Amino acid sequence: MKKVRKAVIPAAGLGTRFLPATKAMAKEMMPVVDTPSIQYVVEEAIKSGIEEILIVTGKGKNAIEDHFDANITLENNLREKGKDKLLQTVVSTNIPQIHYVRQAYPSGLGDAILQAAPFVGDEPFVVLLGDDVMPNEVPLTKQLIDVYEQYGKGSVATIRIPKESANRYGIIDVDGELAENLHLIKHLVEKPMPQDAPSNLGVVGRYLLTPEIFDILRRQEPDAGNEVQLTDALETLNQTAPLIAYEYTGKRYDVGDKYGMLVANIEFGLEHKETAEKMNHFIIELANKLKEK
Ligand code: G1P
């Protein structure tokens, strides 16, 4: 069995849910406290033992490449001023094992993943979507790699969702259990109406895939919105190479959504050493005020 060494992070989306902030800025650079959301995802991949990362970018995403590259002027300036801690922080985000490819047209998540075919070659790989920040002692990506090493199967990460939000997720039609938190998959359905959802197991942004997915994506017809959906390709892959739905029970922040982004900033702000104390006081005072209303 080949080792899982490669990760693909699609980051070509237009970020329309955050306009006007994303008119001239990559949504992946929007910070949670002081760290761009995509950095959490890159760190999760590296902590999981991933050696090479491909970020699928597009027009207007240059800041992502700059962020993970050295900034010599800034480094020299911080060094001269003796700001060693900050220098360390800045240097720690220079990550040379990240590669980039551009998706020319906004043709969907499936098409974005297809751009990774030459990078991935003939190896199993993980996909991490930047909209999901999921801090956990054992990173979710590592959990999927462990499942692959134990069962030799690809997987999709899932969580229990409120059924009324089914139309925001890929939903699993379960075909039985393999082990605790490991569900066999009958079908994957992209964003069904809540009344048509076969379960409340929704796909979140981590996938462990095998390279057969690329031929399927090449043949995949776009949907009504002219996008190639990854979920539709997974439905096809599952017929010949059954996937596992891994049920994740840790924390998740949907930073691709205004509300989720605000929640992430509050909770991370309550933990960050420079803001924790002030934020705590502020939240308690605010809660008391809101209760009095
Ligand atoms: C994508 C997938 C969907 C999945 C979701 C997880 O949708 O198409 O199946 O449940 O990510 O975040 P998007 O959120 O990009 O519309």
Side-chain angles (χ1 to χ4, degrees), residues 84-120:
D84 294 343
K85 261 240 131 72
L86 269 181
L87 178 62
Q88 242 179 31
T89 305
V90 166
V91 170
S92 73
T93 62
N94 302 347
I95 305 179
Q97 64 270 40
I98 305 185
H99 313 268
Y100 301 89
V101 65
R102 283 168 75 122
Q103 183 190 27
Y105 298 97
S107 305
L109 181 59
D111 179 71
I113 302 298
L114 187 51
Q115 310 309 312
F119 165 80
V120 167

Side-chain angles (χ1 to χ4, degrees), residues 47 134-140 143 248:
K47 262 191 229 153
M134 296 186 273
N136 206 61
E137 210 169 288
V138 180
L140 177 50
Q143 297 178 31
Y248 169 71

Side-chain angles (χ1 to χ4, degrees), residues 9 28 30-47 67-68 128-130 132-135 139 141 206 253 255 261 264-265 268-269 272:
I9 302 179
E28 294 78 8
M30 294 203 17
V32 178
V33 186
D34 53 8
T35 301
S37 58
I38 195 166
Q39 193 179 316
Y40 293 100
V41 178
V42 165
E43 282 169 0
E44 177 184 325
I46 293 172
K47 262 191 229 153
H67 181 72
F68 293 111
L128 296 91
L129 305 188
D132 287 303
V133 171
M134 296 186 273
T141 297
R206 303 292 181 271
Y253 301 95
V255 300
M261 183 55 121
N265 268 289
F268 281 56
H272 193 290

